[in-house]
Amino acid sequence: MSAEYRLCELQTVSLHVSDLESDPRLDDPPKQEDQINVSETGGLFSYSNGTVNKESSTEPVESDVSDADSLPASGELKLCSAHGSALELYCSTEGKLACSKCVSDGFCQGHTVTKLVTRATVVRNQLVDVCEKMQLQTLRIERFIDRTLTAREKAVQVDANSVREHVLSQVNAIREALEEEEQRLLEAIQREEERVEQCLLTQRAHWTQTLEKLAHTRTSLVNKLTHSTDAMLVSANQEIYERVEDAEGVGEPRDTEQLSLNRECSTSKLMLGLWASAILLGPSGPRSTKLQFETKTVSPLLSLSDDCCTLTFLPKRTRQSPPYDPARFDSWPNALCSPPMSSGTHSWVLDMGKSAAFKVGVCYASMDRKGSGNSARLGYNTKSWVLSHYDGDLSFCHDGCNVGISVVKKLKRVGLLLDWPSQTLLFYDPESMSVLHVVKHAFSEPLLAACAVADQSVSLVNLKTLEWTE
């Protein structure tokens, strides 16, 4: 057991150091500052000076302090091995016990020296302080266990139940909304299916009846042609004309969109929003496709970085004429990426930097590259779908039609998600994971990521992850 714990059990401790023969100055009675007393009051320790008496009936204190070994069990001081005098002093410089001769002539000459009893008093005071701090810390720990932890144990159960109910409430609300939307969409699909089937039945009945009518008319005309005399044939001229006119009035059958199921009947903002949220906010997040700008497509109005990831708009004085290539845009500041996308799900992100004029999106590989007409201008033909930012305005552009998009702050990056199986193109803000615009279109050709820059630079930033397949 250590000294600090043994001290905690003491009521009173009295020590006395015998007169030192070697130093007459130490023959004086013990001074008040050299007397110590340890008492325990109210569970906390107090320490004060008291009388030191060698022959006191009080039992000596066992201690683990550094000078404890210098005192034999009887309380007598040890003798200096060098001078044979009592070790009644403590050298702070050397950290050792010393005698008066060690101080005057020995290794402690000129060092900081105090009486052994004074040093012991300091050590005991320190131990008392430590014991007091430990007891206070014990009280704080007990209070923490009894009050704080117990309260937290009760609170965590209440909070967990509350959070659990909140999650279940949200899931139930989503489930109910999904069930209602599912029912609505299934009914819409059923109605559309019935409409198409009715159209097909009507068309089948009409053209079957028409076939019978044409067959009857043709048979009648063949009979007249083969069994009538010249006089009879000429006399039936009016009848023949009417039958021919009826046959010619039948018209030609045509395949129309009315005979096909309209897939728009399954369009749902709720389902689309949940699908986009599941893709963008799911545990793995959108996995991007490794893309690079194709050098041969880059317009002479742009420069391409060595890693083929950054496009920079060039001022007129720095532009150069690149080698001719049929794949290069020669009038608009456009560039296309590779590889083409025609299956699976793909995602990529572009950093807009400080650019105030840019377009990002997709286009068919068959889009025109030459000339200043709309056929080579991204967003102004039927072969390109882009998000356009110009003069502070953000919009979606396709075939010359612009759809304005409102955003709270300027976009630093733009993300694109192409899901080929569902024929869906989605533009989103990678910072907030909010959907900017969604396009559903029956893409008929492989798509290429496309970009146009008319100010500063735009960079591809998602180049490390893999293609997403079904």
Side-chain angles (χ1 to χ4, degrees):
M1 182 179 295
S2 62
E4 52 267 40
Y5 288 105
R6 290 196 292 270
L7 283 173
C8 295
E9 300 173 359
L10 295 179
Q11 292 293 339
T12 304
V13 177
S14 298
L15 296 175
H16 176 71
V17 180
S18 50
D19 298 335
L20 302 176
E21 299 175 356
S22 59
D23 191 349
R25 296 172 299 175
L26 301 179
D27 293 337
D28 298 333
K31 296 181 181 180
Q32 183 68 20
E33 61 266 25
D34 297 333
Q35 299 172 350
I36 59 173
N37 179 63
V38 181
S39 63
E40 178 178 353
T41 306
L44 298 177
F45 292 95
S46 61
Y47 198 84
S48 63
N49 291 335
T51 303
V52 179
N53 188 349
K54 176 180 178 183
E55 298 180 359
S56 172
S57 60
T58 305
E59 295 180 1
V61 179
E62 295 182 11
S63 174
D64 289 341
V65 294
S66 61
D67 59 342
D69 295 335
S70 300
L71 295 175
S74 61
E76 296 179 357
L77 296 174
K78 287 186 176 182
L79 299 180
C80 176
S81 59
H83 304 102
S85 301
L87 297 171
E88 79 282 13
L89 302 175
Y90 177 77
C91 178
S92 300
T93 305
E94 297 290 336
K96 299 180 179 180
L97 296 178
C99 67
S100 57
K101 291 183 179 181
C102 291
V103 174
S104 59
D105 301 326
F107 68 91
C108 291
Q109 185 177 4
H111 292 180
T112 302
V113 179
T114 58
K115 292 182 180 180
L116 176 60
V117 66
T118 302
R119 177 60 183 171
T121 300
V122 172
V123 173
R124 287 188 175 89
N125 283 335
Q126 292 175 346
L127 292 177
V128 169
D129 291 340
V130 170
C131 290
E132 287 181 349
K133 291 179 180 178
M134 292 178 66
Q135 185 161 354
L136 289 174
Q137 186 180 17
T138 300
L139 292 175
R140 288 194 297 270
I141 293 175
E142 290 175 350
R143 188 181 298 112
F144 176 77
I145 294 174
D146 293 341
R147 298 181 183 179
T148 305
L149 293 184
T150 302
R152 292 298 183 189
E153 288 173 353
K154 295 179 180 179
V156 71
Q157 296 177 358
V158 176
D159 292 343
N161 289 333
S162 176
V163 173
R164 194 176 291 111
E165 290 177 0
H166 178 67
V167 170
L168 292 176
S169 175
Q170 287 185 320
V171 172
N172 287 334
I174 295 173
R175 184 181 291 111
E176 291 176 1
L178 279 175
E179 290 176 352
E180 292 178 1
E181 187 70 0
E182 177 188 20
Q183 185 64 28
R184 185 188 71 82
L185 291 175
L186 292 177
E187 291 176 355
I189 295 171
Q190 181 66 26
R191 288 194 298 270
E192 178 65 12
E193 182 183 18
E194 291 175 353
R195 182 196 66 77
V196 174
E197 289 178 346
Q198 185 61 43
C199 286
L200 293 174
L201 288 174
T202 301
Q203 289 286 315
R204 183 178 296 277
H206 170 74
W207 291 110
T208 299
Q209 184 179 1
T210 300
L211 281 175
E212 293 176 353
K213 183 178 180 180
L214 285 174
H216 176 73
T217 301
R218 180 176 178 277
T219 301
S220 176
L221 292 176
V222 169
N223 286 335
K224 284 189 175 294
L225 180 62
T226 56
H227 298 92
S228 298
T229 62
D230 293 344
M232 293 172 61
L233 190 62
V234 171
S235 301
N237 185 52
Q238 182 64 29
E239 179 184 357
I240 294 172
Y241 174 78
E242 291 177 356
R243 289 182 178 274
V244 171
E245 188 176 35
D246 288 342
E248 291 177 349
V250 169
E252 293 293 330
R254 290 183 301 173
D255 186 10
T256 66
E257 292 296 327
Q258 294 295 320
L259 301 179
S260 300
L261 186 76
N262 181 13
R263 291 181 172 270
E264 294 298 320
C265 68
S266 63
T267 301
S268 167
K269 290 184 177 180
L270 175 61
M271 299 293 285
L272 189 59
L274 289 174
W275 172 81
S277 297
I279 295 294
L280 300 179
L281 303 177
S284 60
R287 290 172 283 180
S288 63
T289 302
K290 185 175 181 179
L291 298 176
Q292 286 186 324
F293 290 110
E294 278 284 352
T295 304
K296 63 182 181 180
T297 67
V298 177
S299 166
L301 306 179
L302 305 173
S303 68
L304 181 62
S305 61
D306 293 337
D307 61 359
C308 297
C309 294
T310 301
L311 295 173
T312 303
F313 184 72
L314 296 173
K316 289 184 179 180
R317 63 179 179 275
T318 61
R319 295 174 186 170
Q320 298 179 353
S321 297
Y324 174 83
D325 195 298
R328 190 183 310 280
F329 291 92
D330 61 1
S331 298
W332 295 105
N334 302 340
L336 304 180
C337 296
S338 62
M341 297 168 283
S342 59
S343 63
T345 302
H346 306 264
S347 176
W348 63 101
V349 175
L350 296 104
D351 191 333
M352 303 297 105
K354 297 181 179 180
S355 178
F358 60 82
K359 295 177 182 177
V360 292
V362 296
C363 70
Y364 289 148
S366 61
M367 177 179 166
D368 290 345
R369 315 294 176 88
K370 307 301 180 183
S372 59
N374 287 341
S375 61
R377 188 180 182 186
L378 290 174
Y380 283 81
N381 50 65
T382 60
K383 297 185 177 184
S384 59
W385 299 259
V386 296
L387 196 71
S388 174
H389 183 275
Y390 183 74
D391 197 22
D393 294 329
L394 189 68
S395 61
F396 170 75
C397 302
H398 172 66
D399 198 16
C401 298
N402 294 347
V403 178
I405 300 173
S406 298
V407 291
V408 178
K409 59 181 180 180
K410 182 181 180 298
L411 294 175
K412 296 180 181 179
R413 292 182 173 184
V414 175
L416 292 89
L417 180 68
L418 174 64
D419 184 54
W420 189 269
S422 65
Q423 299 282 273
T424 303
L425 175 65
L426 183 145
F427 298 89
Y428 67 95
D429 178 5
E431 185 175 1
S432 63
M433 285 300 181
S434 58
V435 177
L436 301 173
H437 191 75
V438 179
V439 180
K440 289 188 72 68
H441 184 82
F443 299 114
S444 57
E445 300 178 30
L447 292 171
L448 297 173
C451 184
V453 186
D455 177 61
Q456 302 289 330
S457 300
V458 169
S459 301
L460 283 165
V461 295
N462 264 7
L463 300 176
K464 59 184 179 180
T465 49
L466 304 174
E467 179 182 344
W468 209 0
T469 56
E470 294 179 291

